[in-house]
Amino acid sequence: MWGMIATWRMALEGIQKVTPNLEAGGTAGDAIEGAIKEVEDFPYFKSVGYGGLPNEEMEVELDAAYLDGSTFDFGAVCALKQFANPISVARALSAYKVNNVLVGEGAAAFAKAHHFEEKDMLTDRAKIHFHNRLKDIEREQLTPYAGHDTVGMVGLDVAGDMVAGTSTSGLFMKKPGRVGDSPFIGSGLYVDSTIGGATATGLGEDLMKGVISYEIVRLMKEGLSPQKACEKAVSDLCERLKRARGEAGDISVVAMNAKGDFGAASNIENFSFVVATSTLAPTVFRVHPQSDGTMRHELATKEWLEAYLEERMKPLEVKE
Ligand code: SD4
């Protein structure tokens, strides 16, 4: 048995690329790193890697994490600038006993010393998004924190090892140095090969309050299916946040257990995920939250898949 699950439709090409190797006995670690690199390298995804949207000073700061669910090797980078593949740096850091989480200049110094590819991660397209957002904010007082698309993945290989990874440029127009849930163990991702793994996307400030990925794995350990664990974790956190603070940000999660069963849940309408297993070719589903807290998973149609890419790749107008 092998399997992979990832947040958002944008993970499809990466998962398609690495799953033949996973099927042939490749490791979950190589699958996770390979698939996330694919997403990082694609310039039209606005919240991950190259082409990711910048902070309020127009600098792209990237967060990524890598967790091995068998050894608990964990590595993460926060607010890393000017490197092509933060997930690879995070994975490299996971091999050490200490200094596993590095931020900013320290992360960049490590990446440089280990000859990771340096790259200007700010694209012309991201500059236009930045310019347009400033115009929107001027005009409509839009909240600068709208929109998200972090990639998070969980993989299971035929040897039974599980790995989780995340990569994100975080929130558009964030403060320099702001870090969300994605590089934090337990919040952005968690995995234990004897149970399963989970990863989250959405408003990091709120996801962290529920340590939501750990919570999902804990619920699976208690015996819940991945789907029930995702639904319960999302609805419990959402309810607690609403009770305590009056509102809850976007919360979307995916999970897979050690048997390759999977689940996904969200408190928003447009969340999508990609899953592939020994018995299911890479497939995109859209998640529709129901009023009773359960989710309906709808197979994404060809039209929807095409429209998704078209929307992300359409020419951008520079606002006056
Ligand atoms: C963050 N959770 O930095 C990330 C953003 C995100 O999908 O998920 N975008 O808060």
Side-chain angles (χ1 to χ4, degrees):
M1 182 66 193
W2 58 269
M4 264 187 113
I5 191 162
T7 57
W8 304 109
R9 176 262 171 264
M10 65 180 166
L12 178 62
E13 286 77 10
I15 289 202
Q16 283 169 332
K17 185 169 174 191
V18 301
T19 41
N21 190 44
L22 198 55
E23 178 154 43
T27 66
D30 288 345
I32 292 289
E33 182 185 357
I36 291 182
K37 274 176 83 167
E38 204 58 24
V39 185
E40 288 176 339
D41 289 342
F42 190 69
Y44 292 97
F45 296 141
K46 292 183 292 185
S47 307
V48 180
Y50 185 59
L53 295 181
N55 65 20
E56 66 177 21
E57 290 184 357
M58 217 168 84
E59 288 189 311
V60 181
E61 289 188 330
L62 302 167
D63 305 330
Y66 177 96
L67 174 61
D68 183 313
S70 298
T71 60
F72 293 119
D73 285 344
F74 175 66
V77 290
C78 309
L80 175 66
K81 287 191 253 190
Q82 303 277 84
F83 281 89
N85 296 112
I87 187 64
S88 300
V89 184
R91 185 182 189 185
L93 283 167
S94 76
Y96 295 84
K97 248 193 168 153
V98 293
N99 300 312
N100 299 123
V101 181
L102 296 181
V103 307
E105 284 173 18
F110 173 88
K112 200 173 171 66
H114 289 79
H115 309 293
F116 284 98
E117 184 191 343
E118 293 183 56
K119 186 166 171 177
D120 183 0
M121 301 300 273
L122 184 67
T123 59
D124 288 341
R125 194 174 171 87
K127 285 183 197 161
I128 297 177
H129 278 296
F130 181 84
H131 167 89
N132 288 352
R133 183 56 67 95
L134 286 183
K135 290 283 166 201
D136 285 348
I137 293 168
E138 260 170 39
R139 260 186 232 131
E140 301 161 39
Q141 262 112 44
L142 266 190
T143 145
Y145 287 158
H148 68 287
D149 261 13
T150 289
V151 71
M153 298 193 186
V154 176
L156 161 69
D157 63 30
V158 291
D161 292 316
M162 296 190 78
V163 169
T166 57
S167 184
T168 188
S169 54
L171 298 181
F172 186 21
M173 291 286 183
K174 63 189 178 184
K175 291 273 177 221
R178 177 266 182 195
V179 179
D181 60 302
S182 304
F184 291 131
I185 190 166
S187 290
L189 74 175
Y190 197 74
V191 61
D192 177 332
S193 300
T194 65
I195 305 164
T199 180
T201 172
L203 182 65
E205 283 73 1
D206 276 359
L207 294 165
M208 286 192 269
K209 293 181 173 92
V211 200
I212 193 159
S213 295
Y214 181 80
E215 174 65 5
I216 294 167
V217 175
R218 193 190 67 76
L219 289 167
M220 291 195 289
K221 187 178 180 188
E222 278 185 0
L224 268 64
S225 67
Q227 184 56 35
K228 288 286 163 223
C230 286
E231 287 172 2
K232 183 166 168 47
V234 169
S235 66
D236 284 0
L237 178 56
C238 218
E239 230 170 78
R240 273 186 291 148
L241 289 168
K242 282 186 178 153
R243 213 179 314 127
R245 308 169 63 82
E247 58 182 356
D250 291 359
I251 299 173
S252 303
V253 297
V254 298
M256 181 168 277
N257 67 15
K259 292 186 290 189
D261 303 328
F262 61 88
S266 182
N267 67 349
I268 57 166
E269 237 323 305
N270 69 353
F271 181 54
S272 57
F273 70 97
V274 186
V275 61
T277 69
S278 335
T279 54
L280 178 68
T283 305
V284 179
F285 289 97
R286 299 169 60 196
V287 176
H288 301 290
Q290 308 295 292
S291 50
D292 62 358
T294 61
M295 303 287 140
R296 186 168 66 82
H297 293 174
E298 178 197 3
L299 196 64
T301 60
K302 196 163 156 276
E303 291 73 31
W304 185 88
L305 291 172
E306 282 166 6
Y308 181 100
L309 267 195
E310 218 171 275
E311 169 64 24
R312 273 151 190 82
M313 296 176 72
K314 73 177 182 209
L316 276 183
E317 260 176 48
V318 181
K319 290 186 183 169
E320 295 297 330

